[in-house]
Amino acid sequence: MAPIFEYFIVCGIGPDIRTLDENKGFHGTGFRYLPSLLDQFPPFNHTLYPPPPPQLPTCVLPAGVEFYPSGFDSKDPSTHPRSYPIVLTEGDGSKIYVSCIAFRDPVEDDILEAFRIPSNSYADKCICLVSRLPSFGVLRCVLEEIFALCFSPTGGCKPLWDVIAFLVSNVPLPTPGKDRILFSIENCLLSVDAPSKEGLPHADISFQPLVQCLDVDNLIKLFTAVLLERRILLRSNKYSLLTLVSEAICHLIYPFRWQHVYIPLLFFSGVDYIDAPTPYMMGLHSGVDTYGLSMDGVVIVDLDHNRITTTEEIPPIPEPELSFLRCEILELLYPNIVAIDQLTLGLGKSTQKYSGCVSRSWDEEHNLQLRLIFLKFFASILSGYRNFVENTATHVFNNQAFLKKRSRSTNQPPDPMISQFLESQGFMDYIERSIGSEENNSNLLDKLQDAIGRGQTPESILPSSHIEAEIITISDPAEISDSETRYTYNRFPMNVRTEEQEEKRKQILAAVSGAEDLSGKPSVDAGESLSPRERAAERERMVLDIQVKLQRLWLRLLKLGATDDPLLSFEYGTILALIESDAEGIGGSGFVECIREHINTGWTCQLTDEQFIAVKELLKTAITRATSRSDMSTIRDALEVSAEMYKKDVNNVSDYIERHLLPLPIWEDIRFWEGYAEYLLEQSSNKSSNYATLVMTQLITVASHLAGLGLAEADAWCIIETIAEKNNIGYKQYIQLRGYLSHIHHLRVGYWGISSVKAQSLSSSGLQSPRSQDVTGDGQQPTEASGRSWVHSMFSRDTTSRANSFSRVRKWASDSTAPAPSENGTPRKQDVLNVGQKKIQTNLRILRGHSSAITALHFVTRREVWDLLGDREDAGFLMSGSTDCTVKIWDPSVRGSELQATLKGHTGTVRAISSDRTRVISGSDDQSILVWDKQTFQLLEELKGHNGQISRVTMLSGERVLTSSHDGTVKMWDVRTDACVATVGRFTGAVLCMEYDDATGMLVAAGRDTSANIWDLRAGKQIQKLTGHTKWIRSLRMVGDTLITGSDDWTARMWSVSRGTCDAVLACHGGPILSTEYSVSDKGVITGSSDGLIRFWDTAEGSIRCVKNLTIHGAAILSINAGEHWLGIGAADNSMSLFHRPQERLGGFSGTGPKPGGSGWQLYRTPQKTAAIVRCVAADLERKRICSGGRNGFLRLWDATINI
């Protein structure tokens, strides 16, 4: 019999420490780190068990691993162990059930020593039981007994891992409806069984949390959203609640199944998955900030506050089914209230339908009745559906005929809710599974419809519960022992490691501590030189001999069997020798030519796994050798054949060899791609067509190869754009190319994930790579080693859902002030020690004070500082707002005591902050605006009037305040009278951005309704409404008569405020424009996007053109601030940069002629990137300061002029 427990897993901090942002090493206790799989049973080298899911550690510790100075404290609830279940979904849709206990455990001594972590430190650790049986109760009981046995003061009679080994190896899965398994852990007796398959699916959970968190109306609303396959996000501050509610709602839609992405507990670093355009059901801890993500259309279910919000209407369930469903649920939950008017004396039968549930706490009977209520709903709403299944091989359901029949019976038009439900994948899957299959015999929906037709009760369709189960007792002979030895532990013990595991661990830690030098220099043997005549004769013989051999070896290579080791085969070894030993390149080019000829004969190009490995390695070698000889034709041919050959993965999806060639450096040499594009133009068979069409066709081919290889999107676009500029194509073609490249990049990333590769600089073409020059080691090729990651398999269960990107990952260029990297890209140990010994005053500071994500930042002006402190050069107040509902005021000039005040009063996340000489203004999700005294920090007024969260606040002269909100209004307030003076404007959607020019009295605001409105506040009227964008406007900048707007439609627009006309459309970004800036001195425009690119646009010559692209940032550009001589930029992954324009370059971006990089701006400094994800950035260019606010609640303040 198969075991009930597949694995016992221990996850926590391992020897390879990395932050959640993949930065290696220990960075302090303020960061969270990636968990690793530490121990397991069955062990790692067990050949009979498949390995556990590779992303299991990330899922069981969704917040990552934190370090602590102390362990368990009975008086501190935050240190107590936590028990929670999670559910994982594999690529084939099957589920894995995991019970987890997370607790603080001492860090291993060798890790403390290697990473110089303070002694007696603790870190998060999680023990897990993995099973295919959805018995959450048994899994939790067993795991808690193991945990209690480990830390029991009396200990156990056996070593803990022996107890674990016995449980995993000997406790079998019970036969559904027949067996009950009894087993024990020390003196605790446990049992497990499974109900009959003829009844409702096994659900070892309580439905009580679902009905306690949501009232009846919200429960039905969530149920409808699930049926209609919307994007559903559950929020709660309890891990267990997210999983239990997700599982409960999935059981309530029986006999239908959720067919899409299902992650009941989403790990914190995967929050960007929420932007996925396909249906999903995810659970996310309420402490994770989602501000800035596109939540349009997402059904957000707040389980802690019984609240459901969405921007798209959910069609209601039609009558009479809605009233029936609502009344049935109310009668189950509140039977005494519903039946309060009924007679207490029964008239021949019970007056209470759920009499067995009255005056009783929630139990299994309640669970059963709730499930039957929803099953009866399906029986009613799908009454007679079997008559509309066409009797064909595919069993197509006639939707239109069914809807017409229902309309006639109800005298109502076709209902939109039922129409959408019949088109859902869940309904179509049910029809395919049930009609004409063996599963139809146990279809409870059909049985219930038949029972209702015969006048029987719903309970009659369930199997009898009176069948006695056979008791199977599992005993451990070792527990019956006279030995008095007891095993106690002060930490969770390690399992016995193999010599190989121990050696690998030592090597990792030794490399960290610098104890080993693994560098080596291979020797090179010099060969004899040949005369030109001898070389020609030798070449002729080699060409003939090699071509004949390669043809035979290639055909034999394709006949490798499943049991053959491809890399040890004679065919592979001989072809490899022919390629490597040939200095003329005949072996490599001949091998590629053999493949091309075989393809031309009609070969399908499909390889087995063994053949795939061999061919991939041979092509890598051939391309590497051709690169050393600058043999571009061989590289080009190898690239094209690699895009043809493939194998099928476990999901029957084609995996092409091209994807595995990315680590080769040739792909980032722009000269190769320019030559390849020229070759394609020369070889084009349709040269009579329009030149622009011809160039577009060839550039699309180049883009397909770039995406197929997995080159970073920013690098790929730089290559495409450079080639396109040389061929003088129009801006419409630019937008088409950008959209195509982004689309196919998202297709690839959505299924395969983002590749980790060796990055090369594109300096030869004047382009910068956004990645650091890290050398990828043998063990750092996740693309080849693991293929399609387990997390992405959950998002790709069918071909319709594989076209989605869920990740935005970039690697970063190192700071010029950072310690010099070693050959493998990591800072040398000696350099790090030297930096630490000098104790120089750093230009980077971490400001701690907030307890959760930073959502608003504001620097005060120099005039405000003068009023408070006088003329102090280093002074400059900074204000921050957070999801912890507080506003904090910081003085960066007071090192070590920067925090000056904490302003408390809001009950929701603080989204906007502004100030003048005497006041501080803050706006929040609680729909209020608070006014504070800047000197005493006392709350002065509360301004109420908005009906949505506040998005922007701006102080005006004359004691006035402007505010904008998600309720679509812009209001003006008088802070002296605490009253709303006027509602300046109204929008049809949320207002996301607003700017006011105090010199002219002009106000501009924009948001989700795609238009920008301009008012003259001094004249008291609206003067312009600017339309042209097709999606949300997220950023704007108004300077004089010029307005720049940035939108989610991937474009920015330049407008004339006085004329109300669009002067230019700025395209070529690969994502929403999140920040815009206008430089007054040179009339230049700067745009930043979610694609990580910064573009400089020159308007000096009467037309606008892009003169420079910057890729030093790899994540969304959140802030661009330009002054007369300085430019500050901040991005979402906590990278910053400061640019300077010398006095002699003030004429324009392009000056008197083209300059290196195309702009007068020069990169002044960029600090070393640290591990954090930020939502807001602000700059104080007067003092050369940039500050970012992270999700972890930390502010990172950069004084760019220190330590020059």
Side-chain angles (χ1 to χ4, degrees), residues 61 90 209 387 439 466 532 544 695 715 779-780 850 870 935 1032 1055 1078 1116:
L61 287 170
E90 294 194 299
N387 299 326
E439 189 172 339
H466 300 294
L544 182 60
V695 172
D715 283 354
Q780 297 176 340
H850 286 290
Q935 293 186 343
W1032 296 1
W1055 312 80
Y1078 184 81

Side-chain angles (χ1 to χ4, degrees), residues 559-566 608 610:
K559 297 180 181 179
L560 283 177
T563 60
D564 298 325
D565 188 337
T608 65
E610 293 74 21

Side-chain angles (χ1 to χ4, degrees), residues 888-923:
K888 294 185 182 291
I889 301 179
W890 313 79
D891 184 358
S893 63
V894 186
R895 284 186 170 263
S897 302
E898 291 90 350
L899 181 59
Q900 300 298 301
T902 299
L903 311 182
K904 298 181 180 180
H906 284 295
T907 60
T909 299
V910 179
R911 298 293 183 186
I913 304 173
S914 184
S915 63
D916 65 1
R917 299 169 65 178
T918 60
R919 294 178 179 88
V920 176
I921 313 292
S922 60

